[in-house]
Amino acid sequence: MNRLKYYTRYTASLLMLLLLASSAALSQPGKFSRKDRGRFALFSDSASATAAEYMLHLEMAYQKIDSVQNVSKLGPEIIIIGERLQESDSIVHFVDQSLVKYEETLNLRNLEILKILLEDAEHDLHRYHDTFKESDARLTRLRNEIHGLRKDSILRQLFHDSVARKNFLPQLRGLRDRRRYTDSLLTNSLTTIHKLKTEASAGSIIAAQLMNRLNNRLSMAGKKIFQKEMNYLWEKRTTTTAGENLSEVFKEEQRALKFYYSNSSEDRLIRWALGIVFFWWVTRNLRILKRREKTKSLITYDISHLAHHPVVSALAVVLSIAPLFDLHAPPAYMQFVQLLLIVTLTFIYKKQWPRILFKYWIGITALFLIFSFTNHILVPSLMQRLFFIALNVATIVLALLFRKAFPRNHQLARFIRVVLILVVVMNVLAIITNISGRLTLSNMFSITSIFGLTQVIGLSALVKILVEAVLLQIHTSRVQQELTNTFDPAPIVQNFRKPMLGVVLLIWIAVFTANLNLFDALFDGIGNILNTEQNIGNTSFTLGSILLFFLIIWIAHFLQRYLGYFLGDIGDDEGENLAHRSRLLMTKLVLLGAGYLLAVSASGLPVDKITIVLGALGVGIGMGLQNIVNNFVSGIILIFDRPLKVGDSVEVGSHAGRVKEIGLRSSTLVTTDGADVIIPNGDVLSQQIVNWTLGNTYKRVDFDMTIAVAEDKTDAVIGEIKEAIKATDCVLQKREPSILVESVSDSELKLKIFFWCEDVYKEEQTRSEVRYQVYRTLKDQGINSK
């Protein structure tokens, strides 16, 4: 009982003390009421909060919610991707339907097209899914930022303070409404994103399953293509064509064409942009020549395609390179593009080719149209198979006639003649495979042969047009610089023809293998070889990187060597307008330096190991390898800079002869006496080099002659001598012979005769022929000479 009284007194004393302390605290100015004290201590980080602090935090909350509102709305790119997602789903559905509906009639080419469409759709679905995933993460982060506003202790205090809340009631209501709207906006956006992401994931799963089915079908089709599909031609037919409907086949191809066309707009844009730039370049040069009244001079350089048909020529360029962008296009699309190319070529060659050759070309065009249609017949009847054989025979006959009538001076004439023989061989194979019941293989041989023939004709036109464009640029630049003398286009054409021939060959092989369904396998095989990592010691590299390294260096040297052509500088002008050559030299040096830097960076070669090698090389030079390194570096300069090349007639120091070999350490000259002179490369570069065949093969030749002629007949005799010189073979016609009088006496004249020989290697022979021709001319006129 006493203990209870003690605790009661103790508790009462504590309560009194607390009341006194509270009264003292409330009696001080600026302190909060008893009602707000507990709330402030619980939610606020400071001992007090003013109206300014409340307003500042409200303003920050408004800004945060407005910022979230602005970025939480789904942008137009998401809407566009959502529409494209439907297209990708349609492609997946189309492939699925085709595999089910045409289970037995799908050939290898159809399966390849379906695989290409599915690969594009699968790639797009993965890309769309990643985009949706990023948007989902962004919206979730925004929602967390909105939820983070609840942790603001000042705002929480304001919501619990009834007195202060009345002063900021409009702001609080507006903040509440904006937050509710923002929450609703975020929820709708997240719901849409989740839906789209789910659709993309489901489409990717279905596409992966279809890809496995397609790969299995392709594997089986690749094995079955060489197997017997139908009866031999002489056997009774046991299969039926009930399941075949050409109208349905055309509808399905139209759908595939629509899907491909919608997904390949970027490639077409690049192709047509190149064509527009080329057309602008050509028409600009033609306008310049027209203003200066120099269009007739184009005949001298055989610029016919661009001069008469600039628009059609530009279109031919675009359509000729189109297969590089459409190697995996549906057959209907490739046939349409090829038909446009054939129409363009027909317009170009209508007046240029002989009439009989043009008739053969019309026949080839008709065969192309027929083969394009028959390519859709999957299960032909007996009569249709006989008709196919008749088409193959007609193709063989036309190819042989076309080859016989084709002019040998045409661009790529030798290549075209080889392709025509290949066309004959492939159509013979098509007949054999048709008879043996392998219709897919027969059809493939037939359509590939006709495509290969029309494509190579288009590529020959491409080379001709590009060469004409280069010559047109050179001629226009020279006209602008007022260089009046003509130039020989033959060496320029030869310099550009070789790299163009390589590019054309690659394009034709790509188109040819694509029609045979071998391009992907060939491309993958070469890619694996080039991308396989090789190791030498601790250094790893790939053959592709090495090839890329040398390719970029070759392109840099090619451009720097022939850059002057585009400025009208062909190295054949004697002191005319040479001020730009120093600037051109600096441009070439910059181009070479940039090419080497790009080659090193693009090849992926280990720069640190190159640095080590250079350091070791520097040590070797310091230890006495100066001469060896000098010859080695000089050899590299000779190989790439090419001040002389194999076959040139040169003079190096006291040695003269023809270049037989250029090595990394030394070069070999063959003298006129047949001796081999081996000169270190360092000595070659350290001396003056006289190269008679670097820019051209011309050489000025002179000889003395004394004639007995009357003074009044001197001018006439000199004119006769000039005409006699011009009539001699191997004399350069575009440079006038020059005759100087060295001494004069009462009875005779001593002449110094100069003329230009076309071929430096025939200098002595030409001098002899000219001397004899002049002697005969003077002899016929009764004039003595010696």
Side-chain angles (χ1 to χ4, degrees):
M1 189 67 176
N2 293 330
R3 187 178 295 276
L4 180 59
K5 290 179 179 181
Y6 173 76
Y7 283 118
T8 303
R9 292 173 184 171
Y10 182 74
T11 302
S13 299
L14 287 177
L15 290 174
M16 291 296 294
L17 289 173
L18 289 173
L19 288 173
L20 289 173
S22 299
S23 299
L26 291 173
S27 65
Q28 297 179 12
K31 298 298 181 180
F32 289 95
S33 65
R34 184 182 297 107
K35 180 178 180 181
D36 296 328
R37 188 189 65 227
R39 294 176 181 175
F40 177 78
L42 182 61
F43 298 112
S44 181
D45 296 331
S46 62
S48 63
T50 64
E53 289 178 314
Y54 286 143
M55 182 58 69
L56 177 62
H57 282 257
L58 282 171
E59 184 179 355
M60 293 172 58
Y62 268 95
Q63 291 178 353
K64 175 62 69 176
I65 291 177
D66 289 342
S67 175
V68 171
Q69 281 185 11
N70 293 331
V71 297
S72 61
K73 297 178 181 179
L74 296 180
E77 68 278 1
I78 298 296
I79 306 301
I80 295 174
I81 292 177
E83 295 176 354
R84 292 180 177 176
L85 177 62
Q86 301 300 322
E87 295 179 2
S88 299
D89 289 338
S90 299
I91 294 175
V92 173
H93 182 67
F94 168 72
V95 173
D96 190 15
Q97 277 188 331
S98 299
L99 287 176
V100 175
K101 191 173 182 179
Y102 301 99
E103 181 73 21
E104 300 297 332
T105 57
L106 283 175
N107 56 24
L108 186 61
R109 182 63 178 166
N110 299 133
L111 292 173
E112 288 284 355
I113 297 303
L114 291 179
K115 183 179 179 180
I116 293 164
L117 292 175
L118 189 60
E119 284 177 346
D120 292 339
E122 194 173 18
H123 174 73
D124 291 340
L125 287 170
H126 285 300
R127 183 160 52 88
Y128 299 157
H129 183 269
D130 293 338
T131 302
F132 297 147
K133 187 177 180 180
E134 293 176 2
S135 299
D136 187 13
R138 177 175 57 83
L139 293 174
T140 303
R141 186 170 61 252
L142 294 176
R143 169 170 279 184
N144 293 334
E145 290 179 4
I146 292 295
H147 291 168
L149 293 176
R150 297 178 180 177
K151 298 180 181 180
D152 191 327
S153 57
I154 299 297
L155 291 180
R156 294 176 66 184
Q157 178 184 346
L158 178 60
F159 276 107
H160 290 85
D161 188 346
S162 59
V163 176
R165 188 168 63 242
K166 291 179 181 179
N167 297 328
F168 296 97
L169 189 60
Q171 291 84 354
L172 291 174
R173 287 177 178 174
L175 184 63
R176 181 191 60 191
D177 294 338
R178 292 196 179 194
R179 180 188 172 186
R180 287 177 179 175
Y181 175 75
T182 304
D183 284 339
S184 175
L185 188 62
L186 279 172
T187 300
N188 293 334
S189 298
L190 282 170
T191 302
T192 303
I193 290 295
H194 290 163
K195 179 183 177 183
L196 294 174
K197 188 168 69 171
T198 302
E199 292 178 1
S201 299
S204 298
I205 294 173
I206 298 174
Q209 295 173 350
L210 289 175
M211 185 61 70
N212 291 331
R213 289 173 57 187
L214 266 175
N215 288 331
N216 293 332
R217 291 287 301 275
L218 280 169
S219 178
M220 295 173 58
K223 296 176 181 178
K224 293 171 61 176
I225 191 173
F226 295 99
Q227 298 177 0
K228 183 180 176 183
E229 299 170 314
M230 299 182 67
N231 297 327
Y232 291 113
L233 195 63
W234 57 84
E235 292 179 341
K236 183 179 179 181
R237 179 168 181 159
T238 58
T239 58
T240 62
T241 60
E244 181 184 1
N245 190 330
L246 281 180
S247 62
E248 293 183 2
V249 173
F250 279 113
K251 288 180 181 179
E252 295 300 323
E253 286 200 353
Q254 288 177 358
R255 291 186 62 188
L257 182 61
K258 178 182 178 181
F259 291 140
Y260 177 80
Y261 198 80
S262 62
N263 292 329
S264 60
S265 57
E266 295 180 359
D267 293 338
R268 289 195 306 278
L269 181 62
I270 294 174
R271 186 168 68 233
W272 287 109
L274 291 175
I276 292 172
V277 171
F278 179 82
F279 176 72
W280 170 84
W281 175 38
V282 169
T283 53
R284 170 185 171 274
N285 290 331
L286 291 175
R287 284 197 301 269
I288 292 173
L289 294 178
K290 186 177 181 179
R291 285 198 301 266
R292 296 175 180 259
E293 299 180 354
K294 295 290 185 179
T295 53
K296 293 183 178 180
S297 60
L298 295 177
I299 302 175
T300 307
Y301 308 108
D302 191 26
I303 302 176
S304 56
H305 289 10
L306 296 178
H308 300 100
H309 313 294
V311 177
V312 179
S313 298
L315 184 61
V317 170
V318 173
L319 296 174
S320 296
I321 65 174
L324 287 180
F325 300 87
D326 301 319
L327 289 173
H328 297 106
Y333 181 84
M334 296 183 66
Q335 291 165 7
F336 176 71
V337 173
Q338 196 74 6
L339 179 61
L340 290 179
L341 176 61
I342 291 173
V343 173
T344 304
L345 296 176
T346 303
F347 187 82
I348 291 176
Y349 291 127
K350 182 178 181 180
K351 295 183 179 180
Q352 296 187 14
W353 277 354
R355 185 175 181 181
I356 186 66
L357 183 65
F358 188 74
K359 286 183 177 180
Y360 295 153
W361 172 251
I362 296 299
I364 292 173
T365 303
L367 286 174
F368 173 84
L369 294 173
I370 297 173
F371 275 122
S372 298
F373 176 79
T374 57
N375 188 39
H376 299 86
I377 301 176
L378 302 178
V379 186
S381 62
L382 176 60
M383 294 302 298
Q384 289 172 337
R385 291 174 65 180
L386 292 174
F387 179 67
F388 293 165
I389 293 176
L391 289 177
N392 294 132
V393 173
T395 305
I396 293 172
V397 173
L398 266 178
L400 293 175
L401 293 174
F402 192 81
R403 186 176 188 271
K404 183 178 180 180
F406 196 77
R408 294 182 179 272
N409 60 347
H410 195 276
Q411 287 288 344
L412 305 182
R414 189 178 302 176
F415 185 25
I416 292 174
R417 294 171 72 86
V418 172
V419 171
L420 286 167
I421 295 298
L422 184 61
V423 169
V424 172
V425 173
M426 295 193 71
N427 278 273
V428 171
L429 292 175
I431 294 173
I432 295 174
T433 50
N434 187 348
I435 294 173
S436 60
R438 293 160 177 82
L439 270 299
T440 300
L441 203 57
S442 176
N443 192 19
M444 189 182 300
F445 284 145
S446 300
I447 198 68
T448 301
S449 66
I450 202 71
F451 259 83
L453 177 56
T454 55
Q455 186 66 35
V456 75
I457 300 296
L459 292 175
S460 69
L462 173 66
V463 173
K464 171 67 173 173
I465 293 169
L466 293 181
V467 168
E468 285 187 4
V470 173
L471 294 176
L472 178 63
Q473 175 64 35
I474 296 173
H475 181 51
T476 305
S477 298
R478 292 172 68 84
V479 168
Q480 288 179 305
Q481 298 173 24
E482 298 182 355
L483 298 176
T484 57
N485 60 318
T486 60
F487 62 92
D488 185 9
I492 300 173
V493 172
Q494 187 66 22
N495 290 333
F496 280 90
R497 185 175 177 275
K498 291 181 179 179
M500 285 184 184
L501 181 60
V503 174
V504 162
L505 184 61
L506 290 177
I507 295 176
W508 188 84
I509 291 176
V511 176
F512 186 76
T513 54
N515 283 304
L516 288 176
N517 294 312
L518 297 175
F519 177 79
D520 289 335
L522 184 64
F523 184 82
D524 293 339
I526 296 176
N528 291 334
I529 295 174
L530 295 179
N531 295 324
T532 301
E533 191 173 277
Q534 309 289 336
N535 294 304
I536 298 179
N538 294 327
T539 304
S540 60
F541 62 93
T542 62
L543 296 179
S545 64
I546 301 299
L547 181 62
L548 182 63
F549 176 80
F550 286 106
L551 179 62
I552 294 177
I553 289 178
W554 180 85
I555 293 175
H557 278 273
F558 179 83
L559 292 177
Q560 69 87 22
R561 185 176 184 184
Y562 300 114
L563 181 64
Y565 283 178
F566 294 91
L567 302 177
D569 183 9
I570 60 173
D572 194 30
D573 303 313
E574 298 180 347
E576 292 185 277
N577 198 19
L578 302 180
H580 69 280
R581 290 192 177 180
S582 59
R583 298 190 298 270
L584 183 61
L585 178 60
M586 294 300 297
T587 304
K588 290 181 178 181
L589 291 176
V590 171
L591 186 62
L592 275 180
Y596 275 94
L597 291 176
L598 180 61
V600 172
S601 60
S603 64
L605 296 176
V607 181
D608 54 343
K609 293 182 173 59
I610 295 177
T611 306
I612 295 173
V613 172
L614 293 177
L617 186 61
V619 175
I621 294 174
M623 295 177 64
L625 298 178
Q626 295 95 334
N627 291 334
I628 296 177
V629 174
N630 180 29
N631 293 329
F632 178 78
V633 174
S634 299
I636 295 177
I637 294 174
L638 288 175
I639 291 172
F640 285 106
D641 192 49
R642 303 183 74 185
L644 50 83
K645 58 183 181 295
V646 175
D648 281 351
S649 179
V650 300
E651 295 177 12
V652 181
S654 60
H655 305 288
R658 180 176 294 186
V659 180
K660 178 181 180 181
E661 182 182 1
I662 301 176
L664 289 177
R665 193 194 67 83
S666 62
S667 300
T668 304
L669 300 182
V670 180
T671 66
T672 54
D673 300 329
D676 289 344
V677 181
I678 301 174
I679 307 175
N681 290 328
D683 294 342
V684 174
L685 288 182
S686 63
Q687 302 180 69
Q688 291 183 347
I689 302 174
V690 178
N691 192 336
W692 292 100
T693 55
L694 179 62
N696 53 65
T697 59
Y698 311 151
K699 185 175 182 180
R700 196 176 74 161
V701 183
D702 65 271
F703 63 89
D704 298 327
M705 177 172 284
T706 302
I707 61 175
V709 64
E711 183 179 353
D712 58 343
K713 295 183 179 180
T714 301
D715 293 338
V717 170
I718 290 177
E720 292 291 336
I721 294 175
K722 287 185 179 181
E723 293 300 324
I725 294 173
K726 291 181 180 180
T728 308
D729 293 338
C730 290
V731 172
L732 187 63
Q733 299 296 322
K734 69 178 183 179
R735 296 193 178 181
E736 190 75 13
S738 178
I739 301 177
L740 304 178
V741 178
E742 287 193 330
S743 63
V744 181
S745 64
D746 294 338
S747 59
E748 61 183 15
L749 295 176
K750 187 176 181 181
L751 304 178
K752 189 76 170 181
I753 299 175
F754 299 91
F755 65 92
W756 284 88
C757 176
E758 287 186 344
D759 192 347
V760 66
Y761 300 119
K762 297 181 179 180
E763 173 194 357
E764 297 297 334
Q765 176 185 347
T766 306
R767 179 188 281 112
S768 175
E769 292 179 358
V770 169
R771 189 188 293 271
Y772 180 73
Q773 187 70 24
V774 171
Y775 167 77
R776 290 295 304 271
T777 301
L778 296 175
K779 186 73 172 177
D780 293 341
Q781 296 183 7
I783 300 174
N784 295 324
S785 61
K786 58 181 179 179

